[in-house]
Amino acid sequence: MHFPRFAAASMLLLSAAPLSAQDLATTCHATSSYDVTLNADSVVFDRATPAPSRVEIQRGLLRTDGVTVRLNAENQDRMTLFERDLRALAPRVRAVAQNGVDMAVQAVRAEASSMHLSAATRAELDQRLSDHARELKQRIAASRSTHDWNGDAINQYANQIAGDLMPLIASDMGQQAIDAALNGDLQAASALRDQAAGLATQIQPRLLRRMQALRPQIQSLCPSIEALSELQEGVRTSNGQPLDLIQTKQ
């Protein structure tokens, strides 16, 4: 289940974008082969393969691949609670994601402060960071489906941010290298050029370490995810298979 990911990958993603299945598997020991969409009147899980490829839960009713599943009273109650609790979890996930964006911006600014950037570059970087953070938080607030955060979509967004931020910083560092060379400090000039060339690679692990502070907030979601997994136990699809929307392992 590709819940919004919180771990920072690099400055390219503003160090925060949606929480991946890997994040949940690592932090909450939770995995899923489905995407999930919260509609106004139903919750839909879908995947390409294997069957069932579409599971819909609607006020205690369960349909798998378009076929209504006959549920006893207990399992109907389980599905009612599953939908209710999943809807209750969604805003909590979004809140942690929003916090992750704020933390990521702070981490990027902290890293940038150590680069001795010019005042003009710092001001421009702050403005661009604020703009990207605002847009990303709006996307998180509006999102109702994990399809919004699948690989292609987030990679395009990452490239957009990278194309906006990285050249700005690299250009400033390049100018610092030129200034150092003109002042006769060729060693400093060479170091600055190397630093600018490997900027993303060098910053990524430091940003990741800073973003570990978000981990307790992610961990706070784990009991609710475990409870969802327990609610589906004993419920089967129309072809008799276990529902198995979420897998957890302690």
Side-chain angles (χ1 to χ4, degrees):
M1 184 178 301
H2 317 280
F3 287 101
R5 85 183 57 168
F6 308 121
S10 69
M11 187 183 295
L12 309 188
L13 282 177
L14 257 183
S15 300
L19 168 67
S20 68
Q22 183 177 358
D23 295 318
L24 285 179
T26 301
T27 306
C28 299
H29 309 286
T31 59
S32 177
S33 57
Y34 288 93
D35 275 289
V36 61
T37 300
L38 302 180
N39 295 321
D41 61 348
S42 66
V43 171
V44 174
F45 289 79
D46 68 280
R47 63 186 177 187
T49 58
S53 60
R54 180 181 173 89
V55 176
E56 183 177 5
I57 303 171
Q58 184 179 34
R59 295 189 295 276
L61 299 178
L62 175 66
R63 283 185 287 272
T64 61
D65 288 338
V67 178
T68 300
V69 180
R70 293 184 178 180
L71 300 175
N72 59 31
E74 178 185 348
N75 286 345
Q76 193 170 27
D77 288 343
R78 283 175 174 269
M79 290 297 93
T80 298
L81 292 174
F82 187 98
E83 180 180 2
R84 183 201 67 183
D85 292 353
L86 181 58
R87 289 186 183 280
L89 178 61
R92 294 175 56 203
V93 171
R94 283 193 286 269
V96 177
Q98 303 275 10
N99 292 339
V101 173
D102 291 335
M103 188 177 295
V105 170
Q106 293 172 5
V108 172
R109 285 176 174 154
E111 288 295 325
S113 69
S114 66
M115 298 177 186
H116 307 293
L117 303 176
S118 70
T121 298
R122 290 198 305 271
E124 181 63 23
L125 178 64
D126 281 346
Q127 183 60 56
R128 294 186 188 187
L129 280 170
S130 296
D131 290 344
H132 286 300
R134 182 173 58 255
E135 180 182 353
L136 183 52
K137 291 173 81 169
Q138 288 172 348
R139 285 166 57 107
I140 292 169
S143 179
R144 295 297 180 270
S145 175
T146 58
H147 284 290
D148 298 337
W149 305 103
N150 283 344
D152 289 344
I154 197 57
N155 286 339
Q156 291 176 6
Y157 192 63
N159 290 334
Q160 175 188 340
I161 296 176
D164 191 32
L165 298 183
M166 299 302 285
L168 177 66
I169 299 174
S171 176
D172 189 290
M173 296 180 70
Q175 184 60 53
Q176 291 181 48
I178 293 173
D179 293 342
L182 291 174
N183 290 328
D185 193 344
L186 299 182
Q187 184 175 1
S190 177
L192 283 164
R193 284 193 295 268
D194 291 344
Q195 188 179 1
L199 189 60
T201 301
Q202 295 165 12
I203 289 179
Q204 178 176 336
R206 296 199 296 269
L207 291 178
L208 287 170
R209 285 194 295 272
R210 291 180 183 274
M211 291 297 293
Q212 287 302 306
L214 192 66
R215 184 177 176 85
Q217 296 185 41
I218 302 174
Q219 289 175 323
S220 72
L221 303 173
C222 298
S224 296
I225 296 172
E226 174 67 27
L228 286 171
S229 179
E230 292 174 358
L231 281 171
Q232 70 184 356
E233 291 180 3
V235 181
R236 295 186 173 272
T237 67
S238 57
N239 60 7
Q241 297 177 350
L243 188 56
D244 210 21
L245 297 174
I246 304 171
Q247 301 88 45
T248 59
K249 181 176 64 175
Q250 299 297 331

